[in-house]
Amino acid sequence: MVNATEIARGIHRISFWDEPDLTGIIFPGASYNLYLIAAEQPAIIQTMFRRTFARVRAKVREILDPTSLRYIVVPHHEGDSSGAINEWLAVAPRAVPICSELCAVLSLRDFANKEPMVVTDGQVIDLGSYRLRFLLTPQVNQWDSLMVYEETTGTLFPNDLFSMMGVEIRTDRDMSRDSLQAAREVGYQADDRVGLTRALDKIEAVDVKVIALMHGPTLTGHFEKLFRSFRENSLASMAV
């Protein structure tokens, strides 16, 4: 299943789940979400896998011309976050990858066919009608991690933090228990109190109105409870 939904003004969630040809590289029953910001200088957040490029590009084309993309944000180097970076760069010649310095050093300067733009903590890139603020969040959930906050809509793209199972598109319900359970059972996030607390401090310093999860539904409420659940509870993995 491939779905495209506008989750905030001009911000589109392009999602797939349980695609039969992806068995072995995705978790069954979990959504994988790329976000398209239809700005004057359009951007995508995440690239998805190489083998999903054609189907995701087709959904992007329903919204805008993929060749017009200006920025490709890589939250961290991993199959769903950067696997199709070179396919997107080939179709969008003006596009530039954006990542943390650590991501560039460890991966993208070799992996990507174009030199990435490295952003610093708190740096803002103006897309014209939208503004992306970058939050460096090392060790959450990867050591090269960054998050993105879109200032005009209050949309937070929290890398893999708060991700959960399920294929629901959007919810205003309290999902803190589901999110905490996924962190523990899947084991994607180490119980690193220092890194996690720093990340939560940065998140709570901005005015979050929408949380655009990389896996799971877009969240539109109960943020304080969600943040508190990650501050106050162990994320110790139950995976073996």
Side-chain angles (χ1 to χ4, degrees), residues 162-180:
F162 309 133
S163 288
M164 65 189 77
M165 303 300 288
V167 299
E168 189 174 6
I169 293 171
R170 175 168 33 204
T171 184
D172 61 358
R173 304 191 318 277
D174 172 21
M175 302 298 287
S176 55
R177 179 177 296 179
D178 301 73
S179 184
L180 190 63

Side-chain angles (χ1 to χ4, degrees), residues 150-167:
E150 200 294 297
E151 295 183 339
T152 67
T153 61
T155 302
L156 175 71
F157 304 90
N159 205 317
D160 280 335
L161 190 63
F162 309 133
S163 288
M164 65 189 77
M165 303 300 288
V167 299

Side-chain angles (χ1 to χ4, degrees), residues 89-213:
L89 289 173
V91 80
R94 293 178 59 249
V96 177
I98 294 178
C99 66
S100 69
E101 174 64 21
L102 195 54
C103 182
V105 168
L106 295 172
S107 307
L108 281 197
R109 287 198 177 108
D110 178 65
F111 185 74
N113 290 337
K114 183 180 285 188
E115 175 71 15
M117 174 189 295
V118 169
V119 290
T120 56
D121 192 43
Q123 181 175 342
V124 174
I125 292 180
D126 193 336
L127 305 184
S129 45
Y130 298 83
R131 288 168 54 85
L132 301 184
R133 185 190 305 182
F134 294 89
L135 311 176
L136 297 188
T137 54
Q139 307 296 343
V140 183
N141 67 312
Q142 303 282 356
W143 62 342
D144 59 346
S145 165
L146 62 76
M147 299 182 186
V148 185
Y149 174 68
E150 200 294 297
E151 295 183 339
T152 67
T153 61
T155 302
L156 175 71
F157 304 90
N159 205 317
D160 280 335
L161 190 63
F162 309 133
S163 288
M164 65 189 77
M165 303 300 288
V167 299
E168 189 174 6
I169 293 171
R170 175 168 33 204
T171 184
D172 61 358
R173 304 191 318 277
D174 172 21
M175 302 298 287
S176 55
R177 179 177 296 179
D178 301 73
S179 184
L180 190 63
Q181 179 179 348
R184 290 170 169 171
E185 293 185 355
V186 178
Y188 71 85
Q189 175 59 50
D191 193 32
D192 173 4
R193 290 292 107 188
V194 174
L196 185 60
T197 297
R198 287 174 178 168
L200 290 169
D201 287 346
K202 293 178 182 183
I203 291 170
E204 293 185 324
V206 298
D207 183 16
V208 177
K209 297 177 181 175
V210 177
I211 298 181
L213 297 181

